[in-house]
Amino acid sequence: MYRRCLLALALALSFGACSQEAPAPAEPVDEATAAAPAIAPATPLDYADMNHWLCRPGRDDACTQDASAIIVSADGTLKPEPFTPAADAPVDCFYVYPTISQDASPNADTTLGPEEREIARQQLARFGATCRLYAPTYRQVTLTALYALRRGEDVATDRELAYADIKAAWKHYLATDNAGRGVVLIGHDQGAGILTRLIASEIDGQPIRSQLISAILVGGAVETPVGQAVGGTFRTLPLCAASTSTGCIIAYSAFRAE
């Protein structure tokens, strides 16, 4: 069944003893290192709170917006293409959206804005023809911060926070929703980067790998050795070779000509 579904889906941290001897000379201390405070692990969102999900099955949310489309033929002919979500989708899709937040802070807050809802409509909703849709919100690095960094400004972004959120969402999904179903991972841009890291640490070479139908990582940095379909970014997950391939990776990026 997973192979059939892929056809539709193919469109990521006491020294207390005394001594009579003279003490040994102290080791030199790197003052910069010694003075640096320990960095506490990022505390993720609680994904048992349904407000931290952009899309989930069985509710009215960003993924139940109208996903009808217009087919534009090579000759300019336009043809409406209505959309109807599957009543009983056989597999799941877990989606991490791209850099889209326009919040003024370096990392996004937890309040959904129109930009998150719209990107879900554009990129994820139509996968509902084959998938149950899961899309967690997360405290991504914002567009505001990225523009400031490009201008040379010093902005304290926290990418570990963004990753911690998605990792927690993934674990919550596996524990409460997956029930052994096949799953497609979908990510774009920042989302693809986070999913790439998640796959490498939590899926590649792990038992859950058997449930991975595919990972669609668009605008990320997935690498393999020249002429090989596996190795590099992922140890055991190959690139998809055909529309019927499963347990594999689909990745591509676009670059400015200059």
Side-chain angles (χ1 to χ4, degrees):
M1 178 179 289
Y2 292 173
R3 291 181 180 271
R4 294 197 300 271
C5 293
L6 188 63
L7 289 169
L9 291 163
L11 274 146
L13 167 130
S14 92
F15 184 75
C18 296
S19 173
Q20 300 300 317
E21 300 177 359
E27 292 290 332
V29 175
D30 183 336
E31 293 183 3
T33 301
I39 300 175
T43 302
L45 296 174
D46 179 6
Y47 288 94
D49 183 343
M50 295 298 105
N51 291 320
H52 293 153
W53 291 88
L54 180 61
C55 297
R56 284 183 61 86
R59 68 179 196 178
D60 186 12
D61 57 27
C63 287
T64 55
Q65 302 177 81
D66 183 15
S68 297
I70 298 293
I71 298 174
V72 183
S73 301
D75 63 2
T77 302
L78 305 180
K79 179 183 178 182
E81 185 178 61
F83 173 76
T84 302
D88 187 19
V91 299
D92 295 346
C93 283
F94 185 93
Y95 168 73
V96 185
Y97 50 84
T99 308
I100 196 70
S101 174
Q102 298 183 45
D103 292 350
S105 52
N107 282 72
D109 59 28
T110 59
T111 302
L112 285 173
E115 61 270 37
E116 287 93 355
R117 296 181 186 278
E118 175 60 15
I119 202 66
R121 185 189 69 81
Q122 291 181 15
Q123 295 190 342
L124 181 61
R126 289 183 64 85
F127 281 91
T130 305
C131 277
R132 296 192 314 185
L133 305 178
Y134 293 86
T137 61
Y138 70 106
R139 291 167 292 182
Q140 67 170 213
V141 175
T142 63
L143 282 172
T144 307
L146 293 182
Y147 291 150
L149 289 168
R150 285 190 176 186
R151 294 192 298 266
E153 298 177 23
D154 186 12
V155 180
T157 59
D158 190 346
R159 292 187 179 272
E160 288 303 310
L161 185 61
Y163 176 72
D165 281 350
I166 294 302
K167 181 178 177 180
W170 171 247
K171 288 183 175 295
H172 179 86
Y173 158 75
L174 289 180
T176 64
D177 298 298
N178 177 264
R181 291 164 61 91
V183 59
V184 178
L185 300 180
I186 307 168
H188 174 210
D189 186 53
Q190 186 172 168
I194 292 173
L195 277 181
T196 297
R197 180 177 172 184
L198 182 79
I199 293 167
S201 65
E202 302 293 324
I203 298 174
D204 192 8
Q206 304 296 321
I208 190 62
R209 181 192 185 287
S210 64
Q211 291 172 234
L212 182 69
I213 298 174
S214 68
I216 305 173
L217 307 174
V218 182
V222 176
E223 298 180 347
T224 60
V226 175
Q228 298 183 37
V230 69
T233 300
F234 303 122
R235 295 179 293 107
T236 67
L237 295 169
L239 301 177
C240 294
S243 62
T244 54
S245 300
T246 57
C248 55
I249 308 296
I250 299 169
Y252 58 89
S253 297
F255 300 88
R256 294 183 176 89
E258 68 272 17

